[in-house]
Amino acid sequence: MGYIELDVLNNADPSLVMGIDLGTTNSLAATWRDGRPVVIRPEGASGSIPSVIRFPPDGKPVVGRKAREQAVADPSHTIFSIKRFMGRGLDDVRDDLADFPFPVSESADGLLQVDIHGRLITPQELSSMILMRVHDIACRTQGGAQIPRAVITVPAYFDDAQRQATRDAARLAGIEVMRIINEPTAASLAYGLDRTAEGGKIVVYDLGGGTLDVSILSLEKGVFRVLATAGDTRLGGDDLDRALVTLITNGLAEQLSTEDMADPGLQQAARLAAERCKIDLSAHPEAEISFIVPHRGIHFRRQVTREEFEELVSALIDKTLDSCRLALSDSGLEAREIDEVVLVGGSTRIPAVRARVEAFFGREPHTELNPDEVVALGAAVQAHILAGGSRDMLLLDVIPLSLGIETMGGSVSKVILRNSTIPCQATEGFTTYADNQTGVDFNVVQGERELAADCRSLGNFRLTGIPPMPAGMARVAVRFFVDADGLLRVTAREESTGHSADIEVHPKHGLCDADVDRMLEESLEFAREDYEAGMAANLGTELGTMLRACERNLEAARAELDPESLADLEEAMAAARSVADSGSLAALQAARDSLEVASMPLAAALMDDVARAALSGKKLDEV
Ligand code: AMP
């Protein structure tokens, strides 16, 4: 209730919200301006921030381009591809660990953590540092405006734990998540495909730095459904770079032993040089790989032609088309039934990739927008819609994977089927299997497979306090509720006796509230001051917006407030004014909370007015 009221009061300014593409390689923010989504970029820069963090031995961590540049000199303290770790456990990522020059472990409670200078940091905290940087740059670029609310995108296949981890990262960064949406849905929104009258079938081919995601969506009456997703979490531009690195390795084979070649500094320099060459080859028929490794006395140079590069990566492009084939067959569609093809991700700038995808689907793909920016732009469209901007459509999305409960024998009883439109809820009945059983253990799983062991466990919980009764008599109703972000809440109730218990499922590899609080509390010492200053600035702006809205609306609705509510509100407004510029986080928080409560009667009166106008005289509570 409080949210609706505050939105009314804030009279949300759509330009003050943003969409964030939190990417594996790069992250980017966009907002809505002058009737269209635009990328937020400092003057003369691309706006794209490498999702890389370097931790110097002393001093503050460095996020973005500088961190990426320093990776060569300090590979084991430079963290990249954090997205691959979000919401995952050690078992999920074990095969990937060889790709990372920094140590990753799992805590006793199942959280992944990276060891940096002896300090254990979770992927959520690392991602939050990237989000803070995106946010800071956005604020500075927007002339000091604070933008604490955002829509954040995730891959369509992200399960609940991964979405939750993303949400937690935003929370740690002090950003209020308006909605988490699927990247292919965002890309389709950026191209305005939601506004094509007849809807249709859309393929989003997203080849980024580290991952390939192929999604087939159907769009019908403003509802995007994910019909199928396929892809490879270990196939992307980095692999194309690696293909070029083989040229370097071969070129250096006579000069260096295998051991010398494993030098992390050399590897990183070679990788960056290969990437530069690959990017040049998208624009030129020929380019050079060139790099220096001073401590090894190496200055490597080699010309590469586009044809040579295309031959090197042809098998990798074939592999991406295999994923397209798989997604098509999973969705029961033929390539010719696809109406729109959208290209996303920096690697779709490669002419050979475009040509092969076009030939495969027999349809010219959308490439008008910058493929690095499409997802952020679409997220900004969604943020604009949610902030009450134009586009009188309700955007709905669907859950990507079925949600269920493990039953006796290890099979899965699905409670909510994949592709259900969110928000949604469903209830499933369970019972006891032993006489006098007073507790039931539940394992909540997500996935399409029949056996729980093959699905992803989101968490376990136990319903206790069931009165002793014969086996099969207890009636336990388990209700799953998936909110608009695709996040799950579960409640359980023993119905024959009315005994009930509400249970929160804590994702296995996620943070519980206490974790988040602790992390916020301890925060990374080096980031804390910045963080508090940022939070205080955000709160100051939020408080200012609330105050102005209260002042504006109070004049209109003063007569409708009872004297006590009016006095409370005026007192809270006076308190808010007195601390608005104080910069004190605690004072601002207290003032914001008081004003939020004290302004509720005003919001109710305003809503009543709006409803009365709309419903010609009926009171809201009569509707
Ligand atoms: P993304 O994850 O979408 O940010 O994509 C990053 C990937 O796109 C990296 O592997 C980049 O090397 C690659 N990339 C960016 N620009 C180009 C380009 N012009 N040609 C080829 N690859 C590119």
Side-chain angles (χ1 to χ4, degrees), residues 25-26 208-209 237-238 241 275 278-279 282 345-347 349-350 372:
T25 321
N26 292 300
D238 298 349
D241 302 344
E275 183 181 16
K278 172 191 73 177
I279 290 175
S282 291
S347 303
R349 284 209 189 81
I350 297 170
D372 292 321

Side-chain angles (χ1 to χ4, degrees), residues 79-99:
I79 316 299
F80 58 91
S81 291
I82 297 150
K83 194 166 170 180
R84 289 200 196 180
F85 298 123
M86 291 288 276
R88 318 247 74 186
L90 203 52
D91 283 344
D92 303 317
V93 298
R94 212 177 287 282
D95 291 348
D96 296 354
L97 290 183
D99 301 342

